Amino acid sequence: MKKLERTIVFGLKTCLYAVLFLSFFGIMGMDNPQLLRPSRTAAITMLTFVVSGLGMTAAYGRYDIGKRKSKPIISSIGLATVITDIVTYIELSIMNTNAANNTKFEFESIGLFCVVVFVQLIFVAAFTYGGNWLYFSINEPEKCCVITSSAESFIQISHAIDVFRKQYKICEVKDYQADDLYDAILRCETIFLYDVPVKERTELIEYCYRNMRNIYFSPEISDIVEINSKHTILDDISLINLPVKELSIEQRFMKRCVDVVFSLAAIIITSPIWLLCAAAIKLNDGGKVFFKQKRATKNGKVFEVYKFRTMKENVTNYSAVADDNRITKVGKVLRKYRLDEFPQFLNILFGDMSLVGPRPEMLENVYLYTEEYPEFAYRLRVKAGLTGYAQIAGKYNTTPKYKLILDLMYIENYSIMKDIKLILQTLIVFFKPDSTEAFDKDRYAYLEKFADFLEANWKQSEE
């Protein structure tokens, strides 16, 4: 069944990419017959489409049905396809600038190009919904055992698992100290270890590995540090080396060059949007256009971050919450589409921030989070960023601890190519809901009731 499943997924993936390729060249070939016969234009244009497509799918995500929900797959594949189309379309227009076609540069039929994009997006949606339907018709959800340490932790992880209810089904829930814990593991296919002490977690991972069970566990700081480890042999002794992770002179130079070039280009390109935002803020309440706030960056250095003002003036300063009455009508629109962040390109140009890095937190939050999680200070080892791994992979309701985990994953795996990939992936954020995610009322009531039952059992076991 596993071999059949992999064959079906490979077949669907091949068909989708072939359809996207053929639709572009079939439709654009109506006005460009040289694309449909052996020619230099056809060869170079096809090569551009393939190379761009491979690069964009590597950045945004592939056709991984059965692993992700349909909408995120459609967003990533759709965005990769549109960018690939644009690059190939521009390349085709350049290739057609010659004595036989266009004596001066001009874009090919924009109407046909829009038809290409529309048809391709329909195919992407159809293949994604159809592929996931077929995959989950063949595969039942994996039987899961959740092992954790408290009812609160169970609610957190169960909510995350419930989002992927077609992939996973919770059949067992156990405290990590339960007597029948190992029997429960053997009755399931996949084991989730969440908020389990490291010593006990290590023993459970070894047992799951020995009995060939899939394992998911919540990482701690030590796990992130080990990601960058290297295997070393001294004489005949195997050791794991954890080198100090710092950006080299070359990396710092390249990162700064990317910051300056990109921020200058962004300021010039988005300048009309800046004017519209400023006018809207002024017309709304006549107050200041820009808002400055002290934030922390590399080595704890304090700087003033620039943003378009989205709140009323002279209000108490704290992080925005749901239905925040401090936010103006214009501010809601600016926040929804992240337009209030544009002035931070000035911070990047001045060197206070970088394009990619941990999000600069308010000083009040830095003190609060560091008091609760002393490791939070580790994220100040690099410059704060406009975008980053935590901003893309996380959500507004991601806890400070797991934002820290994501930031440290970025720091420990830094590379220029990783930065470029994260810059490209930032576009995906616009397709994610910006409201704080919450439980469905009926399911939340069920989980609360289940949590009360578990809490009683945990208290009894502790006694």
Side-chain angles (χ1 to χ4, degrees):
M1 283 300 296
K2 286 295 180 183
K3 289 183 179 179
L4 175 61
E5 171 193 312
R6 286 194 292 268
T7 302
I8 292 174
V9 172
F10 177 78
L12 288 172
K13 184 186 299 184
T14 303
C15 288
L16 173 60
Y17 293 156
V19 166
L20 296 178
F21 179 90
L22 293 174
S23 60
F24 182 92
F25 289 94
I27 296 173
M28 293 304 297
M30 294 178 182
D31 272 3
N32 298 274
Q34 67 271 26
L35 291 178
L36 304 178
R37 64 173 184 263
S39 65
R40 187 168 67 94
T41 299
I44 295 176
T45 305
M46 288 179 182
L47 181 62
T48 300
F49 187 91
V50 171
V51 173
S52 298
L54 291 173
M56 290 302 103
T57 52
Y60 290 111
R62 295 179 171 82
Y63 180 68
D64 42 4
I65 57 172
K67 297 179 181 178
R68 288 195 295 162
K69 296 174 76 66
S70 295
K71 288 182 180 178
I73 295 176
I74 293 172
S75 296
S76 57
I77 295 293
L79 191 55
T81 302
V82 170
I83 294 177
T84 299
D85 288 341
I86 292 172
V87 171
T88 310
Y89 173 74
I90 293 173
E91 186 276 334
L92 174 61
S93 300
I94 294 172
M95 290 295 295
N96 280 343
T97 307
N98 53 54
N101 293 287
N102 304 316
T103 55
K104 61 180 181 179
F105 176 81
E106 61 181 64
F107 287 109
E108 294 302 309
S109 172
I110 191 67
L112 283 181
F113 178 75
C114 291
V115 172
V116 168
V117 173
F118 179 73
V119 169
Q120 288 178 329
L121 292 179
I122 289 176
F123 277 122
V124 169
F127 269 82
T128 301
Y129 282 118
N132 264 337
W133 174 83
L134 180 60
Y135 182 93
F136 293 116
S137 297
I138 297 172
N139 295 278
E140 293 183 351
E142 297 176 16
K143 296 179 180 179
C144 299
C145 175
V146 176
I147 301 173
T148 185
S149 57
S150 68
E152 182 182 357
S153 296
F154 165 71
I155 287 180
Q156 292 174 359
I157 187 62
S158 63
H159 178 228
I161 296 172
D162 187 60
V163 173
F164 296 88
R165 62 180 72 97
K166 289 185 177 180
Q167 283 102 316
Y168 310 109
K169 179 182 179 181
I170 300 176
C171 297
E172 300 276 352
V173 180
K174 294 292 179 182
D175 176 63
Y176 73 95
Q177 297 174 316
D179 294 333
D180 59 342
L181 180 59
Y182 294 107
D183 293 333
I185 290 175
L186 295 178
R187 290 193 293 267
C188 298
E189 305 168 79
T190 300
I191 312 302
F192 285 89
L193 304 173
Y194 186 77
D195 200 19
V196 175
V198 175
K199 179 182 177 182
E200 289 78 4
R201 189 192 71 186
T202 303
E203 295 174 359
L204 290 169
I205 289 175
E206 290 177 356
Y207 183 80
C208 293
Y209 180 77
R210 187 162 61 248
N211 289 278
M212 300 184 68
R213 294 299 189 267
N214 301 321
I215 310 165
Y216 291 88
F217 66 87
S218 53
E220 298 296 334
I221 302 302
S222 58
D223 301 310
I224 306 304
V225 174
E226 288 178 14
I227 290 176
N228 197 42
S229 64
K230 297 180 180 178
H231 179 227
T232 303
I233 298 179
L234 296 181
D235 196 9
D236 59 347
I237 299 176
S238 288
L239 298 172
I240 297 296
N241 172 232
L242 302 176
V244 176
K245 185 68 175 180
E246 287 185 336
L247 272 62
S248 66
I249 295 176
E250 297 87 354
Q251 288 177 324
R252 290 199 297 271
F253 176 76
M254 286 298 298
K255 190 173 177 67
R256 183 59 185 151
C257 287
V258 172
D259 287 345
V260 172
V261 172
F262 196 99
S263 58
L264 272 174
I267 290 170
I268 294 170
I269 293 170
T270 62
S271 56
I273 301 176
W274 288 49
L275 293 174
L276 290 174
C277 292
I281 294 170
K282 274 293 183 183
L283 290 173
N284 182 64
D285 60 9
K288 294 180 179 178
V289 171
F290 294 103
F291 169 75
K292 295 190 294 184
Q293 188 179 61
K294 293 186 182 299
R295 300 285 179 100
T297 186
K298 186 178 180 181
N299 298 324
K301 179 184 175 183
V302 177
F303 73 102
E304 286 191 326
V305 68
Y306 301 117
K307 301 180 74 172
F308 282 123
R309 183 174 60 84
T310 59
M311 293 187 178
K312 300 171 185 175
E313 294 186 289
N314 303 318
V315 292
T316 306
N317 184 33
Y318 56 88
S319 296
V321 296
D323 300 321
D324 200 322
N325 58 12
R326 297 172 302 161
I327 301 175
T328 64
K329 292 181 179 179
V330 172
K332 290 179 181 178
V333 177
L334 297 182
R335 283 174 172 267
K336 181 177 181 180
Y337 297 103
R338 278 76 173 178
L339 300 178
D340 61 316
E341 309 281 351
F342 279 14
Q344 289 174 46
F345 285 120
L346 293 173
N347 290 113
I348 296 170
L349 188 61
F350 298 155
D352 297 323
M353 292 173 59
S354 179
L355 276 171
V356 183
R359 189 82 183 112
E361 288 287 350
M362 296 188 332
L363 298 185
E364 296 86 348
N365 288 347
V366 172
Y367 301 142
L368 178 65
Y369 297 156
T370 305
E371 185 176 352
E372 187 174 0
Y373 305 107
E375 302 90 346
F376 197 79
Y378 297 163
R379 66 196 295 278
L380 298 178
R381 291 181 175 181
V382 297
K383 276 186 183 180
L386 177 62
T387 187
Y389 191 37
Q391 294 93 295
I392 294 168
K395 301 177 182 178
Y396 284 130
N397 60 348
T398 301
T399 64
K401 178 181 178 181
Y402 287 107
K403 283 184 180 179
L404 169 63
I405 292 291
L406 293 171
D407 283 330
L408 291 181
M409 283 184 175
Y410 164 74
I411 293 171
E412 291 298 320
N413 290 279
Y414 172 78
S415 70
I416 291 294
M417 290 307 298
K418 183 75 172 178
D419 270 11
I420 294 173
K421 183 176 180 179
L422 289 173
I423 291 170
L424 291 172
Q425 288 180 338
T426 302
L427 293 175
I428 293 180
V429 175
F430 292 97
F431 296 93
K432 295 171 68 176
D434 58 345
S435 58
T436 302
E437 188 176 60
F439 287 116
D440 174 78
K441 291 183 178 179
D442 294 334
R443 298 194 66 82
Y444 184 64
Y446 159 74
L447 291 173
E448 273 196 321
K449 184 177 180 180
F450 196 9
D452 291 339
F453 168 74
L454 292 171
E455 188 70 55
N457 284 350
W458 270 309
K459 286 182 180 179
Q460 187 176 357
S461 65
E462 289 173 359
E463 292 173 358

